[in-house]
Amino acid sequence: WYLDETLIEGASEATYSISQASSSQAGIYHVVVSNGASSIKSNAAQVVVVAPPVVTSFLVSPNVTLVGSGITMSAAASGDGPFTFKWHKGDALLATTDLPIYSITEAAESDSGTYTAHVSNTAATVVSEPVSLQVLTPVGIETQPQDVSIAENAQFELSVNATGSGEKSYRWYLDETLIEGASEATYSI
């Protein structure tokens, strides 16, 4: 057997195999078959060694956003291209592209979930680490706090009923000053 016209030492069987190919084994192969009285050279066979893809980054930006906002997913890969990108939400295939970018122009709450990029070349397919996207409806106040008039040293309570999706946080203020520890929908004294 010959690689790029150089004899391969020890390669003297009808089959030549390499268990773990590397770029040094890429090239043009041929074999010379002889029987002592004659010999013949085979046709050439080109061996191309392709480095499999490695996902070097996968981002969803922003990963927490409001309904109606735009979302961009981007993946970067090393290895030998060209690459094909398959964009998944959970197990569902969303799109197949030659570009490392996938966009959602107007996000809906149903777009919330876990996303991955599947990157392929002729050698292999690899899957990115999963990234979560949370699409929320804006926070609103359905029931406002009500004015109260109370006697000095009496107990009182203020409450608010907030709408919107996702976990909500509350911060109560007295005349523009944050009240430490007042972090629930209801504030009582």
Side-chain angles (χ1 to χ4, degrees):
W1 283 93
Y2 292 80
L3 169 59
D4 296 329
E5 301 302 325
T6 301
L7 179 65
I8 302 170
E9 292 297 322
S12 58
E13 300 295 324
T15 301
Y16 177 68
S17 63
I18 298 171
S19 61
Q20 291 186 332
S22 68
S23 59
S24 65
Q25 278 99 24
I28 306 295
Y29 286 82
H30 74 270
V31 65
V32 174
V33 180
S34 61
N35 64 3
S38 66
S39 64
I40 188 167
K41 180 179 176 181
S42 71
N43 291 337
Q46 182 175 5
V47 173
V48 177
V49 178
V50 178
V54 174
V55 177
T56 57
S57 72
F58 176 54
L59 304 171
V60 174
S61 179
N63 63 346
V64 177
T65 192
L66 292 175
V67 168
S69 298
I71 307 292
T72 300
M73 298 178 201
S74 61
S78 62
D80 292 333
F83 299 115
T84 299
F85 298 86
K86 291 186 177 185
W87 306 94
H88 290 254
K89 177 185 174 198
D91 292 332
L93 174 63
L94 302 173
T96 300
T97 67
D98 293 330
L99 300 174
I101 295 175
Y102 176 75
S103 295
I104 299 171
T105 54
E106 289 189 29
E109 275 190 277
S110 60
D111 291 317
S112 293
T114 302
Y115 290 81
T116 54
H118 298 220
V119 183
S120 303
N121 67 5
T122 57
T125 298
V126 294
V127 180
S128 70
E129 289 295 319
V131 175
S132 292
L133 169 64
Q134 188 175 20
V135 181
L136 305 174
T137 56
V139 175
I141 297 179
E142 187 172 79
T143 306
Q144 296 284 347
Q146 301 298 307
D147 293 339
V148 293
S149 180
I150 58 167
E152 192 171 339
N153 294 322
Q155 182 177 345
F156 74 92
E157 181 176 276
L158 298 172
S159 65
V160 65
N161 183 14
T163 60
S165 58
E167 187 175 325
K168 296 167 197 66
S169 64
Y170 300 85
R171 292 187 201 119
W172 288 90
Y173 290 81
L174 172 61
D175 297 329
E176 305 300 321
T177 301
L178 179 66
I179 302 170
E180 293 296 324
S183 59
E184 301 294 328
T186 300
Y187 173 63
S188 300
I189 289 191

